Amino acid sequence: MYLKTIILYFFYLFPVALWAQDEAVKKLEAKIPQTAGKEKVDLFNQIAELYENTDPKQAREYAYKALLLAQETGHTLGEALAYKNIGIIYHLQGNNSQALEYFLKALPIYEKAKYNDGIAQTLHDIGAVYQDLEKYQQAEKYYARVLDLDKKSKDQKGEASTLNNIGTLYYQQEKFTEARKYYQEALDIRQNIKDSMGVSVSYKNLGLLHHNQKDYKTALRYYFDALTLDEKMNNVANQTATLVSIADTYLKVEKIDSAEVFALKSLEIAEKNAMKREMILASGILADVYNLRKNFEKAYEYKNLQLMMKEDAFQEENTRKISDLQNSYELEKAQTQNTLLEKSRQFDRLLLASGAVGALLLSLLLVVLYRSNQRKNKTNELLLFKNAEIQQASEEILAQRDAIEEQLVEIAEQRDTITEQNKNIESSIRYALRIQQAMLPYEQLIDTYLPYNFIFYQPRDVVSGDFYWFGQQNDLIVIAAIDCTGHGVPGAFMSLIGNSLLNQIIIDKGNIHPQVILQELHKGIRIALKQSETQNRDGMDMMICVIDMPTKSLEWAGAKNSLIFIQNNELGELKATPHSVGGFQDQNEAERIYQVQKLSFAKSPLQIYLYTDGFQDQFGGEEGKKFMRKNLKNMLLNIHQEPMAFQKNILEKTFMDWKAEHYQVDDVLVIGVKLS
């Protein structure tokens, strides 16, 4: 299934954009020899910002150059920006505590200078760190300050971005009502200022929110609105991500053909642009699509593609982690060296001012220098230890990669074995399905004798433990709904036994009294399964009707399942005997007795409903509760005046809507018959 989506949509850097960035960096670096003072600080900061996402090491070097030069020249805003850039580098490397430290160094400088743009940007960065740390209250506090500044400066684009971030905070806490409010406010502003990129992001966020609330229709509307904008802007990255979201939503509502179309389109674009994340998601959806279609060859093909992409991504992530560890080490080393350099400069200034003091002060300074050198030696030792730790971590990561590669090979072999086994099992089950379908009575035959009827039959698995039986003897019509112990293959075996015994009892022996049929079936099951000699307790819950059309009457008997009937717009119920057919029988129970009850439809039409317990026991709805028999009865009363085919459609739709994403717990069978 589709990987849980992060609500913030990111924009990708393609080769053209990277080439343009390289050109911009080269032009700025060419200016370095011709600049000095504060202008050079600003230049270093600009270059650091360009390198932040592509080369953290270079970004760090330029940020520190900017910081030192800003402190020398008294360029306070340049110093604040350098602190902020260093914080961003730490944040990108996942070192949130260090990032926070540098952001908090930048903030008071901006506040003292009353530089609102810098204040807003730094507050936003601090909020993002707290958001990553899942400290949502602190994050919201800083975002609220940013929002206030955006409103005061009438920066509508910034205001919309901040509202979106606050919405994301609430989304991550599963406070969907609040999240929707902020997302909608952000969307309104972006539409008003015609910010197409921002509108697209808001559409996708709202789509994802409704998707996770299982409001798939609304989610699709937002996704298609976003896709229209992405295509107009020719934003390939966002377009591909949106296509994946649409495909996943169609898969959720079991529109397999639509899911396939959009997943294939997404995969095609992702492959052209080497977008591994979208390739992983799209291939996963396609594997699910073909698995549902039982096209296991194609399902395997796309699952294999997904595994390959995940392995590539895993290796890239390991490489990035090693690089981040190295960069973090070098960043700390540079920080320590800069601290020592600053102390050395302080010492030089102090030495120049101490000439008149004489030898005593010189001695003291030598002591300070000696201690400083000792601290430096200790720092170097610490750095060497840190480097050893990094080396060890690198080796551990590589060892983990090798282990995972071995596991992937083993998994692939197991997968091939399981795939072959599944094919054999699937083939056997399909053959069993053909046998069970051949066992069931022809619906045309039922229509001949009972023209007003419907059968809603929804097995949980390929084959079912529920089945229905129909027969005709002279002027008498026999119809039954049977729920065998178990479902799937075990239940199907029981259904074959039950069907065979009913054929013997009714057709071969001519028994047409409901209570006698149940008694004989009870005995037959106990003999067939040797239940008096073993611990086997399998059986059936069922109901059976014998309809006499000339006298317009029926006889009915039930084992644990009661009959629902409606006559003169009133619902009634015939209670069943509280014992199954087959299974346990007390030694003191000489013979199993099933009560027979009668109904007449001579004066007014009668509708009867035979059913098993699968419908009423299905979990679903917003609270994941059972549907319950009370609700089934109320629904049947509400729809009983509709044509029988329409009643079946309503039952089927109600069941599927109720079940939604929940697992079907049992086989389902409901039979409706109108007699007049």
Side-chain angles (χ1 to χ4, degrees):
M1 190 147 85
Y2 180 34
L3 194 63
K4 184 176 178 183
T5 312
I6 300 173
I7 197 159
L8 297 176
Y9 280 81
F10 299 99
F11 307 105
Y12 294 78
L13 297 171
F14 289 93
V16 173
L18 291 172
W19 174 84
Q21 178 179 296
D22 289 341
E23 288 298 304
V25 169
K26 287 177 182 177
K27 287 180 181 179
L28 291 174
E29 287 179 331
K31 293 180 181 179
I32 293 174
Q34 290 83 38
T35 57
K38 294 182 178 180
E39 185 181 350
K40 200 166 191 174
V41 173
D42 295 337
L43 191 60
F44 285 152
N45 273 323
Q46 279 182 270
I47 298 172
E49 288 170 355
L50 287 172
Y51 274 128
E52 277 169 0
N53 288 295
T54 57
D55 192 339
K57 184 177 179 181
Q58 287 279 47
R60 179 200 68 237
E61 290 179 4
Y62 278 105
Y64 267 108
K65 286 178 181 179
L67 179 61
L68 293 173
L69 188 56
Q71 290 172 341
E72 282 183 6
T73 58
H75 185 6
T76 54
L77 289 180
E79 180 184 358
L81 182 55
Y83 278 134
K84 192 167 85 71
N85 285 336
I86 295 169
I88 289 171
I89 295 166
Y90 273 121
H91 192 197
L92 290 172
Q93 292 179 333
N95 192 336
N96 289 316
S97 60
Q98 285 287 82
L100 199 58
E101 179 183 336
Y102 278 91
F103 290 145
L104 292 172
K105 286 181 179 179
L107 184 60
I109 299 174
Y110 281 134
E111 288 176 333
K112 187 175 180 180
K114 296 182 180 179
Y115 183 56
N116 286 339
D117 284 350
I119 295 170
Q121 292 168 11
T122 309
L123 288 171
H124 173 273
D125 291 334
I126 294 170
V129 171
Y130 280 124
Q131 187 171 354
D132 285 351
L133 294 170
E134 298 183 1
K135 295 183 177 180
Y136 299 119
Q137 289 184 343
Q138 292 95 319
E140 186 176 3
K141 181 179 72 173
Y142 281 96
Y143 283 149
R145 290 179 63 186
V146 179
L147 186 62
D148 185 54
L149 288 171
D150 290 334
K151 289 178 178 179
K152 285 180 180 177
S153 61
K154 297 182 179 179
D155 178 6
Q156 289 187 293
K157 193 169 184 179
E159 182 181 351
S161 177
T162 307
L163 288 166
N164 184 77
N165 289 340
I166 296 173
T168 300
L169 285 177
Y170 282 115
Y171 176 89
Q172 290 171 331
Q173 298 172 79
E174 298 185 353
K175 296 179 178 179
F176 297 126
T177 302
E178 293 88 342
R180 187 184 299 112
K181 171 180 175 291
Y182 282 100
Y183 284 149
Q184 188 62 51
E185 287 182 20
L187 175 61
D188 293 342
I189 294 172
R190 286 166 167 169
Q191 288 176 327
N192 188 48
I193 63 176
K194 296 180 170 51
D195 175 14
S196 297
M197 182 72 77
V199 170
S200 173
V201 171
S202 289
Y203 280 150
K204 280 191 276 287
N205 284 344
L206 284 163
L208 183 60
L209 189 147
H210 285 281
H211 179 106
N212 285 342
Q213 290 187 291
K214 297 183 173 55
D215 182 2
Y216 299 119
K217 183 178 180 182
T218 306
L220 282 170
R221 177 168 61 82
Y222 280 118
Y223 286 149
F224 277 112
D225 287 345
L227 184 61
T228 301
L229 284 176
D230 294 339
E231 290 173 343
K232 283 183 180 178
M233 294 184 292
N234 197 28
N235 189 320
V236 179
N238 279 5
Q239 184 181 343
T240 311
T242 308
L243 288 167
V244 166
S245 298
I246 292 171
D248 182 59
T249 307
Y250 275 129
L251 188 62
K252 285 284 193 293
V253 296
E254 298 181 359
K255 292 189 176 180
I256 308 302
D257 293 342
S258 298
E260 179 188 21
V261 169
F262 285 94
L264 284 171
K265 190 173 181 181
S266 175
L267 183 61
E268 179 186 358
I269 299 172
E271 285 179 330
K272 285 180 181 178
N273 295 280
M275 299 164 63
K276 289 184 180 177
R277 175 179 176 273
E278 273 62 40
M279 288 177 68
I280 290 170
L281 298 176
S283 57
I285 292 171
L286 287 167
D288 288 339
V289 165
Y290 292 118
N291 188 51
L292 288 170
R293 285 182 176 169
K294 310 302 180 187
N295 187 341
F296 299 114
E297 184 176 351
K298 273 200 166 186
Y300 169 75
E301 175 188 338
Y302 284 105
K303 197 67 180 176
N304 191 47
L305 174 61
Q306 186 186 42
L307 287 171
M308 288 171 58
M309 290 299 101
K310 283 184 176 180
E311 169 64 8
D312 287 349
F314 174 79
Q315 291 180 352
E316 288 179 3
E317 178 66 11
N318 278 347
T319 302
R320 186 193 66 78
K321 284 181 178 178
I322 293 170
S323 177
D324 285 350
L325 284 169
Q326 185 64 34
N327 286 334
S328 178
Y329 160 70
E330 291 180 1
L331 195 61
E332 291 181 17
K333 181 178 177 182
Q335 182 182 353
T336 303
Q337 289 173 342
N338 284 323
T339 302
L340 292 173
L341 181 60
E342 178 61 23
K343 287 182 178 180
S344 179
R345 286 174 177 170
Q346 291 174 2
F347 169 73
D348 290 342
R349 290 193 291 269
L350 187 59
L351 185 61
L352 289 173
S354 65
V357 178
L360 179 60
L361 185 55
L362 180 59
S363 299
L364 292 172
L365 288 173
L366 288 173
V367 171
V368 170
L369 182 60
Y370 171 74
R371 290 179 177 176
S372 176
N373 186 57
Q374 281 188 319
R375 284 195 297 272
K376 182 176 180 181
N377 289 335
K378 288 182 179 179
T379 301
N380 286 334
E381 290 176 5
L382 180 62
L383 291 173
L384 288 171
F385 178 71
K386 192 83 171 181
N387 194 30
E389 282 186 332
I390 292 169
Q391 182 64 29
Q392 183 180 353
S394 174
E395 291 172 358
E396 288 175 356
I397 290 172
L398 291 173
Q400 289 173 2
R401 184 199 63 189
D402 294 340
I404 289 172
E405 287 177 350
E406 291 177 4
Q407 289 172 5
L408 286 172
V409 171
E410 184 179 347
I411 288 169
E413 293 173 352
Q414 292 173 351
R415 178 192 60 222
D416 293 341
T417 302
I418 291 169
T419 300
E420 185 62 31
Q421 291 174 347
N422 283 343
K423 285 182 180 179
N424 295 334
I425 293 169
E426 185 72 25
S427 176
S428 299
I429 292 174
R430 286 289 169 190
Y431 188 72
L433 174 63
R434 290 198 295 273
I435 294 172
Q436 189 172 55
Q437 287 175 334
M439 175 194 81
L440 294 173
Y442 290 113
E443 291 189 18
Q444 296 90 334
L445 177 65
I446 300 173
D447 292 342
T448 301
Y449 292 97
L450 298 172
Y452 301 105
N453 79 85
F454 71 79
I455 300 173
F456 173 42
Y457 186 47
Q458 183 78 25
R460 193 196 76 167
D461 305 306
V462 178
V463 290
S464 174
D466 286 6
F467 74 102
Y468 50 96
W469 195 95
F470 180 85
Q472 187 266 339
Q473 294 277 353
N474 299 322
D475 293 326
L476 300 177
I477 298 168
V478 183
I479 188 167
I482 304 98
D483 180 1
C484 301
T485 301
H487 28 68
V489 174
F493 274 115
M494 284 295 296
S495 74
L496 292 173
I497 294 171
N499 185 75
S500 177
L501 288 171
L502 285 171
N503 288 337
Q504 292 176 21
I505 295 165
I506 300 172
I507 298 175
D508 297 344
K509 296 181 179 179
N511 286 316
I512 54 171
H513 298 291
Q515 74 275 28
V516 176
I517 295 170
L518 293 185
Q519 286 170 351
E520 291 298 312
L521 184 58
H522 174 71
K523 294 175 184 176
I525 291 171
R526 286 183 56 78
I527 292 170
L529 299 180
K530 300 178 180 178
Q531 291 182 335
S532 60
E533 306 165 20
T534 68
Q535 295 298 313
N536 183 283
R537 293 293 180 264
D538 294 326
M540 302 172 189
D541 298 339
M542 62 179 290
M543 59 181 76
I544 187 165
C545 285
V546 177
I547 304 167
D548 188 339
M549 297 303 289
T551 64
K552 296 187 180 297
S553 63
L554 67 81
E555 290 186 342
W556 172 88
K560 296 191 80 172
N561 287 343
S562 300
L563 179 76
I564 295 173
F565 68 90
I566 299 174
Q567 196 167 34
N568 298 322
N569 295 322
E570 292 185 0
L571 184 142
E573 189 172 1
L574 299 182
K575 295 293 184 180
T577 301
H579 298 293
S580 296
V581 173
F584 176 77
Q585 180 172 329
D586 192 279
Q587 293 180 351
N588 297 324
E589 186 182 4
E591 187 174 18
R592 179 67 51 88
I593 304 298
Y594 297 93
Q595 183 182 2
V596 65
Q597 300 182 63
K598 298 181 179 182
L599 291 172
S600 172
F601 50 96
K603 294 182 180 179
S604 59
L606 173 71
Q607 285 185 212
I608 59 173
Y609 296 95
L610 298 84
Y611 58 93
T612 60
D613 58 7
F615 199 119
Q616 65 198 38
D617 287 346
Q618 178 59 46
F619 291 95
E622 293 182 359
E623 298 179 0
K625 294 182 177 180
K626 285 187 178 183
F627 189 83
M628 304 302 291
R629 193 154 64 95
K630 176 184 175 183
N631 293 323
L632 177 61
K633 289 163 65 176
N634 289 337
M635 179 173 59
L636 292 174
L637 181 60
N638 290 334
I639 67 173
H640 81 278
Q641 293 182 339
E642 302 290 347
M644 302 306 283
F646 190 61
Q647 289 188 42
K648 177 183 177 180
N649 290 339
I650 294 174
L651 280 168
E652 184 172 6
K653 185 178 186 307
T654 301
F655 180 79
M656 299 309 294
D657 289 347
W658 178 262
K659 180 173 78 73
E661 298 303 306
H662 290 79
Y663 181 70
Q664 184 171 333
V665 298
D666 201 356
D667 303 312
V668 175
L669 174 62
V670 181
I671 301 172
V673 179
K674 183 176 181 180
L675 301 168
S676 58

